[in-house]
Coordinates of all heavy atoms in Angstrom, one line a residue:
M1 N 86.4 115.1 91.9 CA 87.0 113.7 92.1 C 86.6 113.2 93.5 O 86.8 113.9 94.5 CB 88.5 113.9 91.9 CG 89.2 112.5 92.2 SD 91.0 112.6 91.9 CE 91.0 112.2 90.2
P2 N 86.1 112.0 93.5 CA 85.7 111.5 94.8 C 86.9 111.1 95.7 O 88.0 110.8 95.2 CB 84.9 110.2 94.5 CG 85.3 109.9 93.1 CD 85.8 111.1 92.4
I3 N 86.7 111.2 97.0 CA 87.8 110.8 97.9 C 88.0 109.3 97.9 O 87.1 108.5 97.4 CB 87.6 111.4 99.3 CG1 86.3 110.9 99.9 CG2 87.6 112.9 99.3 CD1 86.1 111.3 101.3
A4 N 89.1 108.8 98.5 CA 89.5 107.4 98.4 C 88.4 106.5 98.9 O 88.1 105.5 98.3 CB 90.7 107.2 99.2
R5 N 87.7 106.8 100.0 CA 86.8 105.8 100.6 C 85.5 105.7 99.6 O 84.9 104.7 99.5 CB 86.4 106.1 102.0 CG 85.6 107.4 102.2 CD 85.2 107.6 103.7 NE 84.7 108.9 103.9 CZ 85.4 109.9 104.3 NH1 86.7 109.7 104.7 NH2 84.9 111.1 104.5
D6 N 85.2 106.8 99.0 CA 84.1 106.8 98.0 C 84.5 106.0 96.8 O 83.6 105.2 96.3 CB 83.7 108.2 97.6 CG 83.1 109.0 98.7 OD1 82.6 108.4 99.7 OD2 83.1 110.2 98.6
R7 N 85.7 106.1 96.3 CA 86.1 105.3 95.2 C 86.1 103.8 95.5 O 85.7 103.0 94.6 CB 87.6 105.7 94.8 CG 87.6 107.0 94.0 CD 89.0 107.2 93.5 NE 89.4 108.5 94.1 CZ 90.6 108.9 94.3 NH1 91.6 108.1 93.8 NH2 90.9 110.0 94.8
A8 N 86.5 103.4 96.7 CA 86.5 102.0 97.1 C 85.0 101.5 97.1 O 84.8 100.3 96.8 CB 87.1 101.8 98.4
A9 N 84.1 102.3 97.5 CA 82.7 101.9 97.5 C 82.1 101.8 96.1 O 81.3 100.9 95.9 CB 81.9 102.9 98.3
V10 N 82.5 102.6 95.2 CA 82.0 102.6 93.9 C 82.7 101.5 93.0 O 82.0 100.8 92.3 CB 82.2 104.0 93.2 CG1 81.9 103.9 91.7 CG2 81.4 105.0 93.9
D11 N 84.0 101.3 93.2 CA 84.8 100.4 92.4 C 85.4 99.3 93.3 O 86.4 99.6 94.0 CB 85.8 101.1 91.6 CG 86.7 100.1 90.8 OD1 86.4 98.9 90.7 OD2 87.7 100.6 90.2
P12 N 84.8 98.1 93.4 CA 85.4 97.1 94.4 C 86.8 96.8 94.1 O 87.5 96.3 95.0 CB 84.5 95.9 94.2 CG 83.5 96.3 93.2 CD 83.7 97.7 92.7
G13 N 87.3 96.9 92.9 CA 88.7 96.6 92.5 C 89.7 97.7 92.9 O 90.9 97.4 92.9
W14 N 89.2 98.9 93.3 CA 90.0 100.0 93.6 C 91.0 99.6 94.8 O 92.2 99.8 94.7 CB 89.2 101.2 93.9 CG 90.0 102.4 94.2 CD1 90.5 103.3 93.2 CD2 90.5 102.9 95.4 NE1 91.2 104.3 93.8 CE2 91.3 104.1 95.1 CE3 90.4 102.5 96.7 CZ2 91.9 104.8 96.2 CZ3 91.0 103.2 97.7 CH2 91.7 104.4 97.4
R15 N 90.5 99.1 95.8 CA 91.3 98.8 97.0 C 92.3 97.7 96.6 O 93.5 97.8 97.0 CB 90.4 98.3 98.2 CG 91.3 98.1 99.4 CD 90.5 97.9 100.7 NE 89.9 99.2 101.0 CZ 88.8 99.4 101.6 NH1 88.0 98.4 101.8 NH2 88.3 100.6 101.9
A16 N 91.9 96.7 95.8 CA 92.8 95.7 95.4 C 94.0 96.2 94.6 O 95.1 95.8 94.7 CB 92.1 94.6 94.7
E17 N 93.6 97.2 93.7 CA 94.7 97.9 92.9 C 95.7 98.6 93.8 O 96.9 98.6 93.5 CB 94.0 98.8 91.9 CG 93.3 98.1 90.8 CD 92.5 99.1 89.9 OE1 92.6 100.3 90.1 OE2 91.7 98.6 89.1
R18 N 95.2 99.3 94.8 CA 96.1 100.1 95.7 C 97.0 99.1 96.4 O 98.2 99.3 96.7 CB 95.3 100.9 96.7 CG 94.4 102.0 96.1 CD 95.0 103.0 95.2 NE 95.4 102.7 93.9 CZ 94.6 102.5 92.8 NH1 93.4 102.7 92.9 NH2 95.1 102.2 91.7
R19 N 96.4 98.0 96.9 CA 97.2 96.9 97.6 C 98.3 96.4 96.6 O 99.4 96.2 97.0 CB 96.3 95.8 98.0 CG 96.0 95.8 99.5 CD 95.4 94.5 100.0 NE 94.5 93.9 99.1 CZ 93.1 94.0 99.3 NH1 92.6 94.7 100.2 NH2 92.3 93.4 98.4
A20 N 97.9 96.2 95.4 CA 98.9 95.6 94.4 C 100.0 96.6 94.2 O 101.2 96.3 94.1 CB 98.2 95.3 93.1
E21 N 99.7 97.9 94.1 CA 100.7 98.9 93.9 C 101.6 99.0 95.1 O 102.8 99.1 95.0 CB 100.1 100.3 93.7 CG 99.4 100.5 92.4 CD 98.5 101.7 92.3 OE1 98.3 102.4 93.3 OE2 98.2 102.1 91.1
A22 N 101.1 98.9 96.3 CA 101.9 98.9 97.5 C 102.8 97.7 97.6 O 104.0 97.8 97.9 CB 101.0 98.9 98.8
R23 N 102.3 96.6 97.2 CA 103.1 95.4 97.2 C 104.3 95.5 96.2 O 105.4 95.0 96.5 CB 102.3 94.1 96.8 CG 101.4 93.7 97.9 CD 100.5 92.6 97.5 NE 99.6 92.2 98.6 CZ 98.3 91.9 98.4 NH1 97.8 91.9 97.2 NH2 97.6 91.6 99.4
V24 N 104.1 96.1 95.0 CA 105.2 96.4 94.1 C 106.3 97.2 94.7 O 107.5 96.9 94.6 CB 104.6 97.0 92.8 CG1 105.8 97.5 91.9 CG2 103.8 96.0 92.0
V25 N 105.9 98.3 95.4 CA 106.9 99.1 96.1 C 107.6 98.3 97.1 O 108.9 98.4 97.2 CB 106.2 100.4 96.7 CG1 107.1 101.1 97.6 CG2 105.6 101.3 95.6
L26 N 106.9 97.6 97.9 CA 107.6 96.9 99.0 C 108.4 95.7 98.5 O 109.4 95.3 99.2 CB 106.5 96.3 100.0 CG 105.7 97.4 100.7 CD1 104.8 96.8 101.7 CD2 106.6 98.4 101.4
A27 N 108.1 95.2 97.3 CA 108.9 94.1 96.8 C 110.3 94.6 96.3 O 111.2 93.8 96.1 CB 108.2 93.4 95.7
D28 N 110.4 95.9 96.1 CA 111.6 96.5 95.5 C 112.0 97.8 96.3 O 112.2 98.8 95.7 CB 111.4 96.8 94.0 CG 112.7 97.1 93.3 OD1 113.8 96.7 93.8 OD2 112.6 97.7 92.2
V29 N 112.2 97.7 97.6 CA 112.4 98.8 98.4 C 113.7 99.5 98.1 O 113.8 100.7 98.3 CB 112.4 98.5 99.9 CG1 111.0 98.1 100.3 CG2 113.4 97.5 100.3
A30 N 114.7 98.8 97.5 CA 116.0 99.4 97.2 C 115.8 100.5 96.1 O 116.7 101.4 96.0 CB 116.9 98.4 96.7
H31 N 114.8 100.5 95.4 CA 114.6 101.5 94.3 C 113.5 102.5 94.5 O 113.1 103.2 93.6 CB 114.3 100.7 93.0 CG 115.5 99.9 92.5 ND1 115.6 98.6 92.7 CD2 116.7 100.3 91.9 CE1 116.8 98.1 92.2 NE2 117.4 99.1 91.7
H32 N 113.1 102.6 95.8 CA 112.1 103.6 96.1 C 112.5 104.4 97.3 O 113.3 104.0 98.1 CB 110.7 102.9 96.4 CG 110.2 102.2 95.2 ND1 110.4 100.9 95.0 CD2 109.4 102.7 94.2 CE1 109.7 100.5 93.8 NE2 109.1 101.6 93.4
Q33 N 112.0 105.7 97.3 CA 112.3 106.6 98.4 C 111.6 106.1 99.7 O 110.5 105.5 99.6 CB 111.9 108.0 98.1 CG 112.7 108.6 96.9 CD 112.2 109.9 96.5 OE1 111.2 110.4 97.0 NE2 113.0 110.6 95.7
D34 N 112.1 106.5 100.8 CA 111.6 106.1 102.1 C 110.1 106.6 102.3 O 109.3 105.8 102.8 CB 112.4 106.6 103.3 CG 113.7 105.9 103.5 OD1 113.9 104.9 102.7 OD2 114.4 106.2 104.4
G35 N 109.8 107.7 101.8 CA 108.4 108.2 101.9 C 107.4 107.4 101.2 O 106.3 107.1 101.7
L36 N 107.8 106.9 100.0 CA 106.9 106.0 99.2 C 106.8 104.7 99.9 O 105.7 104.0 99.9 CB 107.4 105.9 97.8 CG 106.5 105.1 96.9 CD1 105.1 105.6 96.8 CD2 107.1 105.0 95.5
I37 N 107.9 104.2 100.4 CA 107.9 102.9 101.1 C 107.0 103.0 102.4 O 106.3 102.1 102.6 CB 109.4 102.5 101.5 CG1 110.2 102.3 100.2 CG2 109.4 101.2 102.3 CD1 111.7 102.2 100.5
R38 N 107.1 104.1 103.1 CA 106.3 104.3 104.3 C 104.8 104.2 103.9 O 104.0 103.6 104.6 CB 106.6 105.6 105.0 CG 107.8 105.6 105.8 CD 108.0 107.0 106.5 NE 109.3 107.3 106.7 CZ 110.0 106.8 107.8 NH1 109.4 106.0 108.6 NH2 111.3 107.1 108.0
L39 N 104.5 105.0 102.8 CA 103.1 105.0 102.4 C 102.6 103.6 102.0 O 101.5 103.2 102.4 CB 103.0 106.0 101.2 CG 101.6 106.1 100.6 CD1 100.6 106.6 101.6 CD2 101.6 107.0 99.4
A40 N 103.4 102.9 101.2 CA 103.0 101.5 100.8 C 102.9 100.6 102.0 O 101.9 99.8 102.1 CB 104.1 101.0 99.9
A41 N 103.8 100.7 103.0 CA 103.7 99.9 104.2 C 102.5 100.2 105.0 O 101.8 99.3 105.5 CB 105.0 100.1 105.0
R42 N 102.1 101.5 105.1 CA 100.9 101.8 105.8 C 99.6 101.3 105.1 O 98.7 100.9 105.8 CB 100.8 103.3 106.0 CG 101.7 103.9 107.0 CD 101.4 105.3 107.4 NE 101.6 106.1 106.2 CZ 102.4 107.2 106.1 NH1 103.1 107.5 107.1 NH2 102.5 107.8 105.0
V43 N 99.6 101.3 103.8 CA 98.5 100.7 103.0 C 98.4 99.2 103.4 O 97.3 98.7 103.7 CB 98.7 100.9 101.5 CG1 97.7 100.0 100.7 CG2 98.5 102.3 101.1
I44 N 99.5 98.5 103.4 CA 99.5 97.1 103.7 C 99.1 96.8 105.2 O 98.4 95.9 105.5 CB 100.8 96.4 103.3 CG1 101.0 96.5 101.8 CG2 100.8 94.9 103.8 CD1 99.9 95.9 100.9
V45 N 99.6 97.7 106.1 CA 99.3 97.5 107.5 C 97.8 97.6 107.7 O 97.2 96.9 108.4 CB 100.1 98.5 108.4 CG1 99.5 98.7 109.8 CG2 101.5 98.2 108.5
S46 N 97.2 98.6 107.0 CA 95.8 98.8 107.1 C 94.9 97.9 106.3 O 93.8 97.5 106.7 CB 95.4 100.2 106.7 OG 96.1 101.1 107.5
H47 N 95.4 97.4 105.1 CA 94.5 96.7 104.2 C 95.1 95.4 103.7 O 94.5 94.8 102.8 CB 94.1 97.6 103.0 CG 93.5 98.9 103.4 ND1 92.3 99.0 103.9 CD2 94.0 100.2 103.4 CE1 92.0 100.3 104.2 NE2 93.0 101.0 103.8
G48 N 96.2 95.0 104.3 CA 96.7 93.7 103.9 C 95.8 92.5 104.1 O 94.9 92.6 104.9
E49 N 95.9 91.5 103.3 CA 95.0 90.4 103.3 C 95.2 89.4 104.4 O 94.3 88.7 104.8 CB 95.0 89.7 101.9 CG 94.4 90.6 100.8 CD 94.5 89.9 99.5 OE1 95.3 89.0 99.3 OE2 93.7 90.3 98.6
T50 N 96.5 89.3 104.8 CA 96.8 88.3 105.9 C 97.4 89.0 107.1 O 98.0 90.1 107.0 CB 97.8 87.2 105.4 OG1 99.0 87.8 105.1 CG2 97.2 86.5 104.1
T51 N 97.3 88.3 108.2 CA 98.0 88.9 109.4 C 99.5 89.0 109.2 O 100.1 89.9 109.6 CB 97.7 87.9 110.6 OG1 96.2 87.9 110.7 CG2 98.3 88.5 111.9
K52 N 100.1 88.0 108.6 CA 101.5 88.0 108.3 C 101.9 89.1 107.5 O 102.9 89.8 107.7 CB 102.0 86.7 107.7 CG 103.4 86.7 107.3 CD 104.2 85.5 107.7 CE 105.6 85.4 107.3 NZ 106.5 86.5 107.6
E53 N 101.2 89.4 106.4 CA 101.5 90.5 105.5 C 101.4 91.8 106.2 O 102.3 92.7 106.1 CB 100.5 90.5 104.3 CG 100.8 91.6 103.3 CD 99.8 91.6 102.2 OE1 98.6 91.3 102.4 OE2 100.2 91.8 101.0
R54 N 100.4 92.0 107.1 CA 100.2 93.2 107.8 C 101.4 93.4 108.9 O 101.9 94.5 109.0 CB 98.9 93.3 108.5 CG 97.7 93.4 107.5 CD 96.4 93.7 108.2 NE 96.0 92.6 109.1 CZ 95.3 91.5 108.7 NH1 94.9 91.4 107.5 NH2 95.0 90.6 109.6
E55 N 101.7 92.3 109.5 CA 102.8 92.4 110.5 C 104.2 92.6 109.8 O 105.0 93.4 110.4 CB 102.9 91.0 111.3 CG 104.0 91.0 112.3 CD 103.9 92.0 113.4 OE1 102.8 92.6 113.6 OE2 104.9 92.2 114.1
D56 N 104.4 92.0 108.7 CA 105.7 92.3 108.0 C 105.8 93.8 107.6 O 106.9 94.4 107.7 CB 105.8 91.4 106.7 CG 106.1 90.0 107.0 OD1 106.4 89.7 108.2 OD2 106.0 89.1 106.1
A57 N 104.7 94.4 107.2 CA 104.7 95.8 106.8 C 104.9 96.6 108.0 O 105.6 97.7 108.0 CB 103.4 96.1 106.1
R58 N 104.3 96.3 109.1 CA 104.5 97.0 110.4 C 106.0 97.0 110.8 O 106.6 98.0 111.2 CB 103.6 96.5 111.5 CG 103.6 97.4 112.7 CD 103.0 96.7 113.9 NE 103.8 95.5 114.4 CZ 104.9 95.6 115.0 NH1 105.5 96.8 115.3 NH2 105.6 94.5 115.4
V59 N 106.6 95.8 110.7 CA 108.0 95.7 111.0 C 108.9 96.5 110.1 O 109.8 97.2 110.6 CB 108.4 94.2 111.0 CG1 110.0 94.0 111.1 CG2 107.8 93.4 112.1
L60 N 108.5 96.6 108.8 CA 109.3 97.4 107.9 C 109.2 98.9 108.3 O 110.2 99.6 108.3 CB 108.7 97.3 106.5 CG 109.4 98.1 105.4 CD1 110.9 97.9 105.4 CD2 108.8 97.9 104.1
L61 N 108.0 99.3 108.8 CA 107.9 100.7 109.3 C 108.8 100.9 110.5 O 109.4 102.0 110.6 CB 106.5 101.0 109.7 CG 105.5 101.2 108.5 CD1 104.1 101.3 109.0 CD2 105.9 102.5 107.7
V62 N 108.9 100.0 111.4 CA 109.8 100.1 112.5 C 111.3 100.2 112.0 O 112.1 101.0 112.5 CB 109.7 98.9 113.5 CG1 110.8 98.9 114.5 CG2 108.3 98.9 114.1
V63 N 111.7 99.4 111.0 CA 113.0 99.5 110.5 C 113.3 100.9 109.9 O 114.3 101.5 110.1 CB 113.3 98.4 109.5 CG1 114.6 98.5 108.7 CG2 113.2 97.0 110.2
L64 N 112.3 101.4 109.1 CA 112.5 102.7 108.5 C 112.6 103.8 109.6 O 113.4 104.7 109.4 CB 111.3 103.0 107.6 CG 111.3 102.2 106.3 CD1 109.9 102.5 105.6 CD2 112.4 102.6 105.4
D65 N 111.8 103.6 110.7 CA 111.9 104.6 111.8 C 113.3 104.6 112.4 O 113.9 105.6 112.8 CB 110.9 104.3 112.8 CG 109.5 104.7 112.4 OD1 109.3 105.3 111.3 OD2 108.5 104.3 113.1
A66 N 113.9 103.4 112.5 CA 115.2 103.2 113.1 C 116.3 103.8 112.2 O 117.3 104.3 112.7 CB 115.5 101.8 113.3
R67 N 116.1 103.8 110.9 CA 117.0 104.4 110.0 C 117.0 105.9 110.0 O 118.1 106.5 109.8 CB 116.7 104.0 108.5 CG 117.3 102.7 108.2 CD 117.0 102.2 106.8 NE 116.9 103.3 105.8 CZ 116.6 103.1 104.5 NH1 116.5 101.9 104.1 NH2 116.4 104.1 103.7
S68 N 115.9 106.5 110.3 CA 115.8 108.0 110.3 C 114.9 108.4 111.4 O 113.9 109.0 111.1 CB 115.4 108.5 108.9 OG 114.1 107.9 108.6
P69 N 115.3 108.2 112.6 CA 114.3 108.4 113.7 C 114.0 109.9 114.0 O 112.8 110.2 114.2 CB 115.0 107.9 115.0 CG 116.5 107.9 114.6 CD 116.5 107.6 113.1
L70 N 114.9 110.8 113.8 CA 114.7 112.2 114.1 C 113.7 112.8 113.0 O 112.8 113.5 113.4 CB 116.0 113.0 114.2 CG 116.8 112.6 115.4 CD1 118.1 113.4 115.3 CD2 116.1 112.8 116.7
R71 N 114.0 112.5 111.8 CA 113.2 113.1 110.7 C 111.8 112.5 110.8 O 110.8 113.3 110.7 CB 113.8 112.8 109.4 CG 112.9 113.3 108.2 CD 113.6 113.1 106.9 NE 113.8 111.7 106.7 CZ 114.8 111.2 106.0 NH1 115.7 112.0 105.4 NH2 115.0 109.9 105.8
H72 N 111.6 111.2 111.1 CA 110.3 110.7 111.2 C 109.6 111.1 112.4 O 108.4 111.3 112.4 CB 110.4 109.1 111.1 CG 109.0 108.5 111.1 ND1 108.1 108.7 110.1 CD2 108.4 107.8 112.0 CE1 107.0 108.0 110.3 NE2 107.2 107.5 111.5
R73 N 110.3 111.2 113.5 CA 109.7 111.6 114.8 C 109.1 113.0 114.6 O 107.9 113.3 115.0 CB 110.7 111.6 115.9 CG 110.0 111.9 117.3 CD 111.0 111.8 118.4 NE 111.8 110.6 118.4 CZ 113.2 110.6 118.5 NH1 113.8 111.8 118.6 NH2 113.9 109.5 118.4
H74 N 109.8 113.9 113.9 CA 109.2 115.2 113.7 C 107.9 115.2 112.9 O 106.9 115.8 113.2 CB 110.3 116.1 113.0 CG 109.8 117.4 112.6 ND1 109.5 118.4 113.5 CD2 109.4 117.9 111.4 CE1 109.1 119.5 112.9 NE2 109.0 119.2 111.6
R75 N 107.9 114.4 111.8 CA 106.8 114.2 111.0 C 105.6 113.5 111.8 O 104.5 113.9 111.6 CB 107.1 113.4 109.7 CG 107.9 114.2 108.8 CD 108.2 113.4 107.5 NE 106.9 112.9 107.0 CZ 106.8 111.9 106.1 NH1 107.9 111.2 105.8 NH2 105.7 111.5 105.6
S76 N 106.0 112.6 112.6 CA 104.9 111.9 113.4 C 104.2 112.9 114.4 O 103.0 112.7 114.6 CB 105.6 110.8 114.2 OG 106.1 109.8 113.4
D77 N 104.9 113.8 114.9 CA 104.3 114.8 115.8 C 103.3 115.6 115.0 O 102.3 116.0 115.6 CB 105.4 115.8 116.4 CG 106.3 115.0 117.3 OD1 106.0 113.9 117.7 OD2 107.4 115.6 117.6
Q78 N 103.5 115.9 113.7 CA 102.6 116.7 112.9 C 101.5 115.8 112.3 O 100.4 116.3 112.1 CB 103.4 117.4 111.9 CG 104.4 118.4 112.4 CD 105.2 119.0 111.3 OE1 105.1 118.6 110.1 NE2 106.1 119.9 111.7
D79 N 101.8 114.6 112.0 CA 100.8 113.7 111.3 C 100.6 112.4 112.0 O 101.5 111.6 112.0 CB 101.4 113.4 109.9 CG 100.5 112.5 109.1 OD1 99.4 112.3 109.5 OD2 101.0 112.1 108.0
P80 N 99.5 112.3 112.7 CA 99.2 111.1 113.5 C 99.2 109.8 112.6 O 99.6 108.8 113.1 CB 97.8 111.3 114.1 CG 97.3 112.5 113.4 CD 98.4 113.2 112.7
E81 N 98.9 109.9 111.3 CA 99.0 108.8 110.5 C 100.4 108.3 110.2 O 100.6 107.1 110.0 CB 98.3 109.1 109.1 CG 96.8 109.1 109.1 CD 96.3 107.7 109.3 OE1 96.7 106.8 108.7 OE2 95.4 107.6 110.2
A82 N 101.4 109.1 110.3 CA 102.8 108.8 110.1 C 103.3 107.8 111.1 O 104.2 107.0 110.8 CB 103.7 110.0 110.1
S83 N 102.7 107.7 112.3 CA 103.2 106.8 113.3 C 102.3 105.6 113.4 O 102.6 104.7 114.1 CB 103.2 107.5 114.7 OG 102.0 107.9 115.0
A84 N 101.3 105.5 112.6 CA 100.3 104.4 112.6 C 100.9 103.2 111.9 O 101.7 103.3 111.0 CB 99.0 104.8 112.1

C-alpha cells in the first residue's frame, strides 16, 4: 500500500477527499473524540483551502489543548506533529 504522499500524487482527488472527511469531523465536534478532532484539525491546518479555514482549525487546536493540557503536552513531547 502506498504512503499518503504517493497516493496524493497518483490520485489528485485523494487530498480533496481527506479534506472533506476532516471537514465533516470538524462540523460535528460534539460527536467525535478529541483525538479524531485533533487529526482533522491538523489536516485542515496543513491543507485547508483558505487562510480563514486554516486559522479556524489552528484555533480549535488551541481550544482542545486548553481542555486537556497535561495529556496533550505529554503527547506533544513524544510526537512533534501533535503540537503543529
Side-chain angles (χ1 to χ4, degrees):
M1 177 176 270
I3 59 175
R5 67 177 169 263
D6 292 340
R7 282 186 241 161
V10 172
D11 179 8
W14 185 86
R15 185 169 286 145
E17 290 171 8
R18 300 299 75 78
R19 260 195 316 262
E21 290 171 345
R23 288 178 181 135
V24 167
V25 170
L26 297 183
D28 193 18
V29 294
H31 293 100
H32 293 94
Q33 295 178 351
D34 285 0
L36 183 58
I37 297 167
R38 285 183 205 282
L39 178 62
R42 284 190 299 237
V43 167
I44 298 300
V45 165
S46 298
H47 304 290
E49 292 179 338
T50 67
T51 302
K52 173 131 177 60
E53 181 181 41
R54 291 188 301 271
E55 178 63 15
D56 288 348
R58 191 193 64 74
V59 169
L60 179 58
L61 285 171
V62 170
V63 170
L64 288 171
D65 289 349
R67 278 184 23 183
S68 56
L70 294 177
R71 179 175 59 210
H72 183 66
R73 187 176 312 129
H74 174 72
R75 288 183 53 203
S76 296
D77 292 344
Q78 295 175 356
D79 179 11
E81 282 292 313
S83 62

